[in-house]
Every structure is written in structure tokens, then in C-alpha cells.
Amino acid sequence: MTSDSNFSGTAQPAHLRDYLTTAAGSSSIRWIRAAALGMWEVGDGGRLLDVGAGNGEVARELAGLLPGTEVTALDHSAEAIANASGLHDGSRVKYEVGNAYELPYPDGHFDGVRSERVLQHLADPDRAVAEMARVLRPGGRICLIDTDWDSLQFDGTPEGFHERGVALRREWLAQTRTVDIPPSGRTLRRRLVTAGLTGVRTEPVTMVFTDLTEARQIMPFSREMFAAIGMPDSAAGWLGDLETADADGTFLVALTMWIAVGTR
Ligand SMILES: C[S@@+](CC[C@H](N)C(=O)[O-])C[C@H]1O[C@@H](n2cnc3c(N)ncnc32)[C@H](O)[C@@H]1O
């Protein structure tokens, strides 16, 4: 683990790859990505960059939708990029290893830059946003998506469940992370304004799940995922309460993600 990100330079843990694959299949993530694409307003024919592209499925989707456009999927993790290029479908996507803090492109190189669920993992998100703005041409469009984990709300669970969850999360962050995971989503607008983007627009998208299996496509609410991400053993009881609510049909969880766009 580096000190400036929750991910090491080259590794992509199997649980992260599998999580991203499952999340990409979730109707909620598809809905957010479609809304973000509508707000981004990029046309066909230029160059687009996806920073922290993970498995690269959005880059391939964009290249399919905009056949005259060259799309670059960039990630800090060499393993993620190897995996993403292994999934290549022949569309106009380039897969490149690179750091959001020092994007390996000249000023004004891209017509559009996007980054999804990446800033929450960075110690200095503003530095990454400034880099994204730098590589954008004047008039180019940026689109950020991020989660607001502090927005998590539950129902069907016992009294004190929320507070126990907050304490568990704090314990987990202290034990496993070099970078705290902040409520990043709501900060996106401010970061774009600070980086000098104009016409900044932001929208919250709240996902609601009443089925634990569906919620697990996006949130790590399973014993396997808890083990993979190093949750404390004391989390098992908390998870048990979720499973009970699911079994009796009263389970509900809501989580808000934010989309923000702006023009250089
Ligand atoms: C939660 S994943 C999101 C992946 C993808 N954007 C998606 O929505 O499916 C975060 C990604 O950011 C990448 N990442 C983390 N720090 C980075 C950095 N400093 N520069 C570039 N990518 C980074 C990780 O390797 C990982 O693939």
C-alpha cells in the first residue's frame, strides 16, 4: 500500500476485480453510468480518458457508443490494466498504466476525462482533479462519480445498528487503510470549482435496495467480502442482523452516489 492511495502501484486484489465486475452488472451502477454519460455531454470524434478505469468496461462501452472516439483506460494498477486488456473487445480502447497524480499526457490532450469511484481512495483528490483538468483541452468536459459512504441508511435492523456500523467502519479504517475513506461524493462539485472548471453541475443519485443479494453487488455485506477486506470479527453480528432483516422481508438500505460535471 502506498501512502497516497488505498491501492498499491501494481496489485489488483482478486476480490476488487470480482467486486468491480459484479458492480458493473448491477442495474444501479448502470443507471448511474447512464445518467453520468448524459450529463458529461461528450460528442463523437475526439479523445476520452477514464482515470482509475479498473476493469475497463466503461471505456469499452464508450468506444462502442462513440466509434469515432479513441478512449484511454488508465489505472495505477498494472494488474488491473492487464486484466482490462484481457477483456478487450476490439473497440478503440487503449489500456495504460499511470498515476492520477501525474497523468502521462500533455496539457489539453483530451476532449473529455472521467473518473469513477477513485477519488475516495486518494489522499490528495484535489491534486488528481487538477491533473485531470490539465490534460483536458479548453472547452473539454470532465465527469466525476463518487460514493458518499456517510449517506448509508438502513431499516429493518435493531436499534443501535447504525451506530454499531459506524464504530465498525472506524475500526476497519484504522486497521486496514492508509487513507481514510471520506464522504467523497458531496465534495466533487467543490473540487471541480477549485480546479477552475466552469458551469459545474452536480446530481446525487440514491440507490435503494430491499434485497440483500442485490445490495451485495455494490456494498461489501457478505462474510467472504468482509474477510477479503479485513473487517474485524466483531462485524459478524452486525452482518447477522442484516441477514435477519433480509430473511423476514424488512431489509432496506440506501446509498447515495454523486455525479459532477464541468467544462475547462
Ligand atoms: C473502486 S475502483 C473503481 C474502478 C472503476 N473506475 C469502476 O468504477 O469500476 C478504484 C480504481 O482506482 C485505481 N486507482 C487507485 N489509485 C489510483 C491512482 N493514484 N491513479 C490511478 N488509478 C488509481 C485502482 O487501481 C482501482 O482500479
Side-chain angles (χ1 to χ4, degrees):
M1 235 179 244
T2 60
S3 59
D4 57 7
S5 158
N6 276 323
F7 297 91
S8 72
T10 56
Q12 188 199 43
H15 72 79
L16 176 60
R17 185 196 57 222
D18 295 346
Y19 164 76
L20 294 177
T21 305
T22 306
S26 145
S27 54
S28 298
I29 291 293
R30 288 205 302 271
W31 172 39
I32 285 171
R33 287 177 174 170
L37 182 59
M39 287 172 66
W40 195 16
E41 293 176 350
V42 284
D44 196 7
R47 280 192 288 251
L48 300 180
L49 172 67
D50 190 6
V51 177
N55 296 339
E57 70 273 320
V58 174
R60 287 185 291 277
E61 204 175 308
L62 285 169
L65 286 170
L66 306 169
T69 301
E70 182 183 272
V71 185
T72 299
L74 172 133
D75 202 285
H76 199 199
S77 158
E79 268 179 36
I81 287 301
N83 179 47
S85 49
L87 297 168
H88 187 53
D89 58 2
S91 54
R92 276 184 83 192
V93 178
K94 287 162 74 176
Y95 301 89
E96 293 183 350
V97 177
N99 191 340
Y101 289 133
E102 289 165 10
L103 293 171
Y105 309 105
D107 296 359
H109 190 65
F110 292 97
D111 300 278
V113 178
R114 80 182 295 281
S115 189
E116 175 180 337
R117 292 178 291 163
V118 177
L119 295 177
Q120 62 182 291
H121 297 292
L122 302 183
D124 191 352
D126 285 327
R127 185 172 156 206
V129 175
E131 267 297 270
M132 293 177 209
R134 180 187 66 75
V135 301
L136 203 55
R137 68 163 168 80
R141 300 274 294 161
I142 191 166
C143 177
L144 303 175
I145 301 176
D146 217 349
T147 320
D148 207 313
W149 288 106
D150 282 10
S151 72
L152 263 182
Q153 292 179 327
F154 298 92
D155 196 39
T157 49
E159 212 174 313
F161 178 83
H162 176 77
E163 291 72 16
R164 279 161 55 215
V166 170
L168 278 167
R169 184 164 176 266
R170 203 174 300 125
E171 193 182 339
W172 169 68
L173 284 170
Q175 285 179 14
T176 62
R177 297 283 163 148
T178 52
V179 174
D180 190 10
I181 299 190
S184 178
R186 73 189 72 168
T187 73
L188 299 180
R189 177 186 176 279
R190 162 171 43 98
R191 297 188 194 289
L192 290 181
V193 170
T194 304
L197 281 293
T198 59
V200 175
R201 250 188 83 200
T202 192
E203 293 286 344
V205 181
T206 300
M207 305 175 283
V208 180
F209 300 94
T210 54
D211 177 300
L212 187 54
T213 306
E214 281 179 25
R216 281 175 171 146
Q217 293 185 306
I218 297 179
M219 302 167 221
F221 298 152
S222 71
R223 280 171 222 297
E224 298 71 32
M225 197 64 172
F226 270 17
I229 64 177
M231 279 299 279
D233 291 345
S234 50
W238 187 85
L239 206 50
D241 286 342
L242 280 187
E243 288 163 350
T244 303
D246 192 44
D248 69 23
T250 60
F251 169 75
L252 179 145
V253 63
L255 176 68
T256 298
M257 292 178 69
W258 289 76
I259 304 164
V261 295
T263 304
R264 173 154 177 231

